[in-house]
Amino acid sequence: MAHYYIISADLLPVQTTIPAPEAAVTATVIPSKEIVQDDWAASLDNLTTSDLLPLEEHIGYLKALGLDYGWGPTAMIQYLLEHVHIWTQTPWWASIILSAFLIRLALFKLNINAADQAGRLARATPQIKPIQDKVKIARAARDTPTMMVLSAQMKGIMKAEGVSYFKLFGPFLQVPLGYGTFRLLQGMSHLPVPGLDSGGILWIRDLTIADPFYTLPMLTSVMMYFTFKRGGETGSATTLTPTMKIMFTYGLPLMSFLFMSFWPACVQLTFTTTSIIALGTATLFRHPGIRTFLGISDLPTPRSATDIGPYKGVMNVYQPPSATEEAAEKPKTVLGGAVAELRGAAKQVIGSAKSYQERKAKAGGGRLTAGELRRAKAYEDKRKRELDIEKWEAEGRRIGRRT
């Protein structure tokens, strides 16, 4: 209760306190510490980063959050993803997919050039393969002049077909861009960027954690498998050895599944999108009409049974020629001439080796050094392999004329 006194026409309040009766005092129940903590935990479970930090999204806000990668592939991907997200006003899952599509669209011309070069290389491979075999023989014998001549022949064939290895490896620009995408999205999920934990779709609402059902890693592995089965993104994997084809077709998809299973869903989503686009590109580049429209060189058509000869499907056992065939082949004297040439060359090689050893034995007191023996043996082995190749080539030509 307040009382007022009149002093100089001013009212001055004077506060007096009247104590309340003891009966009016009521007890207050204070909640325990455990109950308060449980209430806070329940409320935090329903919060997202959008509720905790309602930061206005604008160009450069990723850098303001601490994602500063300087200059390089990661900064380029950050610039693209941020502009796509701000300009299109799409959720994060859609922005990630759109960015991956734009990157592959920018590299599509390089894929066209690589597919064209792969087709040219596929046409040149049948001409280069025999020369490569001879190069291996010359390398084993350390015959440098022969290797230089054969290398010049291969370069001439490649130049005639218009093959450029620089254009063939153009799509490998995807590697640094893919690393930049991985690094950026990993950083965004570890922060996490506001809205990323609620910007997913379907069963992957939280893009900062891995896909709980392993659907995205499995889908990526399947897409990679079918892409390599179709010859890669260029549509023709003629430069790969059989071992490399097995590794790329089976080993790489398996490894990608094992690694991707532990990545955040935002990283999984971008690589899944990329693998789907790669399969679509490989399918397009296998279509002759699409290759013609895009100006890509045609792939070599598989040889028919008449072109391949008697070695298609089953192994044919050699049958001795009949009397009529022998009579028809006598005027040509192809087999007889080839055998005679091989015999003469073998005798010449053996005679040269013997005379060489005799001369060295006389000059060196009847003994050859270890280096001389190795060179002599290497020369004999080289000539023997060359004679075997010539023999089989002559036999193949003879059988080809018969068929």
Side-chain angles (χ1 to χ4, degrees):
M1 179 180 295
H3 299 275
Y4 297 91
Y5 297 91
I6 300 175
I7 300 177
S8 301
D10 293 333
L11 295 178
L12 298 177
V14 177
Q15 184 75 27
T16 60
T17 304
I18 300 176
E22 296 180 358
V25 178
T26 58
T28 302
V29 180
I30 301 176
S32 63
K33 185 178 180 180
E34 290 77 7
I35 297 175
V36 173
Q37 289 180 347
D38 292 341
D39 293 339
W40 272 101
S43 61
L44 288 175
D45 290 340
N46 298 324
L47 289 178
T48 62
T49 53
S50 299
D51 301 323
L52 295 174
L53 186 60
L55 179 65
E56 181 182 357
E57 295 179 345
H58 59 278
I59 300 299
Y61 91 106
L62 289 179
K63 187 175 181 179
L65 291 174
L67 297 174
D68 188 359
Y69 295 98
W71 300 93
T74 308
M76 294 171 56
I77 301 301
Q78 177 178 333
Y79 180 88
L80 174 64
L81 179 60
E82 189 175 58
H83 280 72
V84 169
H85 182 64
I86 298 299
W87 287 353
T88 61
Q89 293 297 311
T90 52
W92 279 115
W93 68 267
S95 301
I96 292 172
I97 292 177
L98 286 174
S99 300
F101 178 79
L102 290 176
I103 293 172
R104 296 308 298 262
L105 184 63
L107 299 177
F108 188 66
K109 177 59 178 176
L110 297 179
N111 290 331
I112 293 177
N113 294 338
D116 178 65
Q117 294 300 317
R120 297 175 183 273
L121 184 60
R123 291 202 308 266
T125 299
Q127 307 174 52
I128 296 175
K129 187 65 172 65
I131 301 178
Q132 289 177 338
D133 296 336
K134 294 181 180 179
V135 168
K136 293 179 181 179
I137 297 174
R139 184 180 294 111
R142 298 180 181 179
D143 190 351
T144 304
T146 303
M147 291 175 59
M148 294 177 63
V149 172
L150 295 174
S151 299
Q153 293 179 3
M154 287 193 296
K155 290 181 180 179
I157 295 173
M158 301 283 280
K159 185 177 181 180
E161 292 292 343
V163 178
S164 172
Y165 282 106
F166 178 76
K167 294 182 179 180
L168 187 62
F169 292 99
F172 279 89
L173 185 60
Q174 300 173 25
V175 175
L177 295 179
Y179 171 74
T181 303
F182 171 81
R183 189 182 178 195
L184 172 65
L185 294 177
Q186 282 276 24
M188 292 175 61
S189 62
H190 290 164
L191 191 59
V193 171
L196 193 63
D197 56 354
S198 59
I201 188 177
L202 299 178
W203 69 94
I204 43 174
R205 293 293 180 180
D206 189 352
L207 295 177
T208 63
I209 61 176
D211 180 2
F213 301 107
Y214 303 97
T215 306
L216 294 179
M218 179 63 70
L219 183 59
T220 303
S221 300
V222 172
M223 294 297 105
M224 292 179 64
Y225 169 78
F226 283 108
T227 300
F228 288 117
K229 286 289 287 185
R230 292 178 177 272
E233 293 188 48
T234 60
S236 175
T238 55
T239 58
L240 299 179
T241 63
T243 304
M244 293 176 63
K245 288 181 180 179
I246 294 175
M247 286 298 299
F248 277 98
T249 306
Y250 300 99
L252 194 58
L254 178 60
M255 292 175 61
S256 68
F257 174 78
L258 296 177
F259 282 101
M260 285 184 61
S261 299
F262 305 97
W263 292 352
C266 56
V267 184
Q268 295 175 347
L269 184 61
T270 186
F271 279 93
T272 302
T273 304
T274 302
S275 64
I276 294 175
I277 297 175
L279 179 59
T281 303
T283 303
L284 286 178
F285 287 166
R286 295 289 296 180
H287 195 279
I290 298 296
R291 296 181 72 92
T292 303
F293 176 76
L294 296 176
I296 303 175
S297 59
D298 296 332
L299 293 173
T301 56
R303 294 184 299 175
S304 61
T306 56
D307 297 330
I308 295 176
Y311 300 105
K312 178 178 175 57
V314 296
M315 180 183 294
N316 294 333
V317 180
Y318 171 74
Q319 299 292 337
S322 60
T324 307
E325 293 176 347
E326 290 180 353
E329 290 181 2
K330 279 183 179 180
K332 299 180 181 179
T333 65
V334 177
L335 181 60
V339 173
E341 291 177 1
L342 292 176
R343 289 177 178 175
K347 291 180 180 179
Q348 183 179 359
V349 171
I350 296 173
S352 300
K354 288 182 178 180
S355 61
Y356 174 78
Q357 291 178 358
E358 290 175 357
R359 289 195 304 270
K360 297 299 293 183
K362 292 178 180 179
R367 298 183 60 183
L368 296 176
T369 63
E372 293 171 345
L373 289 175
R374 284 196 301 270
R375 287 193 293 270
K377 187 176 184 304
Y379 180 79
E380 292 178 6
D381 294 340
K382 170 191 169 185
R383 288 301 304 165
K384 183 177 180 181
R385 286 191 294 268
E386 290 178 351
L387 292 175
D388 291 339
I389 292 174
E390 293 175 358
K391 177 181 177 182
W392 287 111
E393 288 179 351
E395 183 70 10
R397 288 194 298 268
R398 189 188 67 80
I399 296 176
R401 281 190 296 271
R402 290 182 55 200
T403 57

